[in-house]
Amino acid sequence: MKPWVGVIANASAGRGHGRRRVARFVEALAKYGFACKVAWTHAERRALIAQAVADPSCRCLVAAGGDGTVATLLNERPARPIPIATLPSGTENLFATEFGLNSCPDEVARAVALGTPQPIDLGEVVEDRRLFSLMAGVGFDADVVTRHHLTRLKGRPEGSVGTTSRLAYVRSILESSWEYRFPTVQARFLEPTSGRDQVLEGAMVFMFNLPRYALGLPVVPPRPAADGKLDLIVFQRPGVPHMVRYLWMVARGVHLNRPDVTHCRVVEATLSIQGERPAPIQLDGDPGGFLEPGHFKTIRVVPSAVSVMVPPRYRWRAPRGPLAFHLGRSGCRRHRVFNDGQSDGLIDRPEAARVPVPPTTIVESRRTPRKPAATSA
């Protein structure tokens, strides 16, 4: 049977250039001998996924859109382990960037036709049975995401959203800055090494599966996509001035060295809220509901849950962006030393993050000193 590829397309992703890119992708894929079936509506998407389950000649399913379209495909993916890929046409396209897929339809078609599937982990909100590939966040940024999504729904038919851009987020950021009250978010988890119960509190909590955030900023150290853990990071101090300060520290790559930022590696964490106001949740840059007072959300890793088609010459590398750099090779000359002897800014043991040695204990970063230049006699 002739192999074929299913395309889950979103015409509203980003600035709305999806239809042209899908048409070019179909033409490019035909050069490799693959047929292509495209679904634009919800009903077409469900029918296409059901057909992919029953037909072993389906090579993969492609999400043609932004990170939200990828999340939709992951949550509706078939029971049969069919690889996925993405034809990026959204605002950030963090998932595509992580796996070396750019917005060129010809390059994506080549990756689908000649590339190899690579397994990756996913995160899951257990109570809602929702999967995410990038991150889950609770706090100020989730409030911005929720407000922005509501503006995209205004004046639109039911089941559709308007196009967007980075500039469109400005209004939502200003509204959140004025109205969001910063309730305390609590993260409870078991320490992987000792099994002891640990609790962290802060104004904003993230759980990252892949390291990138908006503008390509790597908030957590880069790692392979199938390592079986999530990165939990807590920004402790509330208020808009601190949010701006945290953003600046992330852009510089020095936030993990700050005493009011805690980072650890977990398999599962339970999030709750303190106070009378609910806190919004975002999953991969889309609204994920609310964390209500007196209730909790359990977020866990799902190891090697799906495979991604990557380009033939793809090799895992540290993420980079216009304002970001590799956290493992940052410009910082000094790092805090924790009581377990670690000095690289990565806290795998939560108690090390909470009980640092006095700040007077400093070591030089692990860099090979330059050899002195040879002098002529």
Side-chain angles (χ1 to χ4, degrees), residues 26 87 114 170-171 237 297 340:
V26 172
L87 176 62
L114 305 179
V170 173
R171 178 180 175 181
R237 297 187 179 182
K297 297 287 186 182
D340 63 349

Side-chain angles (χ1 to χ4, degrees), residues 18-158:
R19 293 190 180 275
R20 288 201 306 268
R21 288 182 182 171
V22 169
R24 287 179 54 193
F25 175 72
V26 172
E27 295 176 358
L29 206 57
K31 298 177 182 178
Y32 293 97
F34 286 88
C36 204
K37 302 177 182 180
V38 184
W40 291 98
T41 66
H42 178 70
E44 292 175 348
R45 183 170 69 238
R46 294 188 63 180
L48 181 59
I49 291 176
Q51 185 178 1
V53 173
D55 190 352
S57 61
C58 177
R59 178 166 177 77
C60 73
L61 292 172
V62 179
D67 295 314
T69 309
V70 176
T72 299
L73 176 57
L74 291 174
N75 282 278
E76 297 182 2
R77 75 192 197 284
R80 184 169 72 84
I82 301 176
I84 68 169
T86 178
L87 176 62
S89 57
T91 305
E92 294 292 345
N93 305 308
L94 303 176
F95 185 88
T97 303
E98 183 68 21
F99 297 104
L101 297 169
N102 56 34
S103 59
C104 176
D106 298 296
E107 293 293 330
V108 177
R110 183 173 183 272
V112 169
L114 305 179
T116 55
Q118 172 178 305
I120 68 168
D121 300 336
L122 295 176
E124 180 186 24
V125 182
V126 177
E127 289 75 17
D128 302 333
R129 302 186 66 180
R130 288 188 61 179
L131 298 168
F132 60 90
S133 62
L134 300 173
M135 91 294 285
V138 181
F140 179 79
D141 86 300
D143 191 73
V144 173
V145 167
T146 302
R147 292 175 186 273
H148 177 67
H149 183 74
L150 292 177
T151 62
R152 296 181 67 185
L153 296 178
K154 290 182 180 178
R156 303 288 302 181
E158 185 178 356

Side-chain angles (χ1 to χ4, degrees), residues 309-333:
M309 298 297 296
V310 298
R313 295 184 178 180
Y314 170 81
R315 295 293 183 273
W316 180 84
R317 56 188 175 85
R320 296 180 182 272
L323 299 176
F325 47 81
H326 183 186
L327 291 175
R329 300 178 62 184
S330 68
C332 295
R333 292 289 179 177

Side-chain angles (χ1 to χ4, degrees), residues 171-190:
R171 178 180 175 181
S172 300
I173 293 173
L174 294 176
E175 290 177 350
S176 296
S177 300
W178 182 257
E179 299 178 7
Y180 187 66
R181 299 307 178 197
F182 293 94
T184 300
V185 184
Q186 186 179 84
R188 182 182 297 272
F189 58 95
L190 294 179

Side-chain angles (χ1 to χ4, degrees), residues 207-223:
M207 294 189 70
F208 280 87
N209 182 51
L210 299 177
R212 290 180 180 268
Y213 192 65
L215 300 178
L217 298 175
V219 181
V220 297
R223 303 177 186 278

